[in-house]
Amino acid sequence: MATRLFSPESPLDLFLTFALVGFIAQLADSALGMGFGVISASVLLAQGVPPPLVSASVNAAKVPTGIVAGISHALNGNIDKALFGRLALAGAAGGIIGALILGELKRPVLTVIIGGYLLLIGGLILWRGLSGRAPRLLATGRISALGATGGLIEGIGGSWGPVVTSGLISAGHEPRRAIGSSALAELVVSLTVFLALMAGYHLGRWGTGRDLHEVLLPVAGLVAGGVPAALVGGRLAAIAPRRPLTVAVGVLAIGIGLQRLASLL
């Protein structure tokens, strides 16, 4: 049994705790183009929730928050339609592959992969926050490859933004359009990943006895907290202090990654 990060005493406490997590995570995501998946998945993993259920839960929560965030970014002129289309199409394909991989791997292997992934992504986010520069993850112009890679990571770990948004900014795209286009494409990818994971769940391919009802309150809390933060997402992308938020998200991801790997000892 994994050690839990916190143990709310009642269903209301659980709901309110995840509402706070969702609000903070979405504020970071709106400002940085990343954060909701990393923060939400990290907290759920620290609660001992199996990785397939974590990915399904995070992607389910991203659908309503993504709709609101996408509208906000569109109203603020942060969407590049051509960029969005290429990212969404390639990302959806990568997301399906990631969801299939996630459903086939055994828990110890998944723990190592996701723990190592959190350390890597957390390190990249932390480096970005401390240096003030986005890490160059893929060569300039390879938008479809970037989207497919982001979709693959989204399917496995629920974290599209650290790969895609950072890649777009490092390739020279205007930050607000990179954040807005990535956020809207993420909505398409998250819905695709969620549906693929649900299909795997109903086919009995998750390899876990944990059921969906166990994360209904956490998901509801993430949505309840994330939607109000997403309402101001488009504006926040232009005015929020990025460096402190980036460093905080990076440190959290690294800490949870270490905790997940330590759970194998």
Side-chain angles (χ1 to χ4, degrees), residues 19-77:
L20 179 61
V21 170
F23 184 79
I24 294 171
Q26 186 59 48
L27 281 181
D29 202 275
S30 297
L32 304 170
M34 66 180 76
F36 188 87
V38 172
I39 294 173
S40 302
S42 294
V43 173
L44 286 168
L45 284 167
Q47 290 295 97
V49 179
L53 197 49
V54 168
S55 185
S57 302
V58 171
N59 281 287
K62 281 184 178 183
V63 174
T65 58
I67 291 172
V68 176
I71 292 172
S72 179
H73 281 297
L75 292 175
N76 282 275

Side-chain angles (χ1 to χ4, degrees), residues 6 8-23 215-226:
F6 50 79
E9 296 180 358
S10 70
L12 179 60
D13 290 338
L14 182 66
F15 174 83
L16 293 176
T17 298
F18 275 91
L20 179 61
V21 170
F23 184 79
V215 292
L216 288 180
L217 272 179
V219 170
L222 291 173
V223 171

Side-chain angles (χ1 to χ4, degrees), residues 76-253:
N76 282 275
N78 297 338
I79 307 294
D80 181 321
K81 293 181 181 178
L83 186 59
F84 155 72
R86 294 175 67 185
L87 288 173
L89 184 61
I96 292 173
I97 295 172
L100 291 175
I101 292 173
L102 187 64
E104 293 297 323
L105 294 176
K106 301 300 182 183
R107 186 182 180 97
V109 177
L110 277 173
T111 300
V112 171
I113 290 175
I114 293 181
Y117 159 75
L118 286 171
L119 291 179
L120 173 63
I121 292 298
L124 289 173
I125 295 172
L126 184 59
W127 182 85
R128 176 185 176 182
L130 295 175
S131 69
R133 294 178 295 165
R136 185 174 293 278
L137 300 176
L138 287 175
T140 302
R142 296 187 178 178
I143 301 303
S144 295
L146 184 65
T149 303
L152 181 68
I153 296 299
E154 180 73 16
I156 294 174
S159 299
W160 161 275
V163 174
V164 176
T165 306
S166 290
L168 291 175
I169 293 174
S170 70
H173 290 272
E174 183 183 2
R176 71 183 185 91
R177 291 188 179 273
I179 292 172
S181 303
S182 174
L184 189 58
E186 184 179 16
L187 169 62
V188 176
V189 177
S190 293
L191 181 58
T192 302
V193 169
F194 175 72
L195 293 175
L197 285 169
M198 287 300 94
Y201 171 76
H202 288 295
L203 290 173
R205 301 177 68 145
W206 279 17
T208 175
R210 302 288 287 271
D211 205 352
L212 294 175
H213 76 273
E214 298 182 49
V215 292
L216 288 180
L217 272 179
V219 170
L222 291 173
V223 171
V227 166
L231 286 171
V232 297
R235 181 61 181 158
L236 196 59
I239 65 173
R242 284 169 169 71
R243 184 163 293 184
L245 285 172
T246 306
V247 170
V249 171
V251 170
L252 175 65

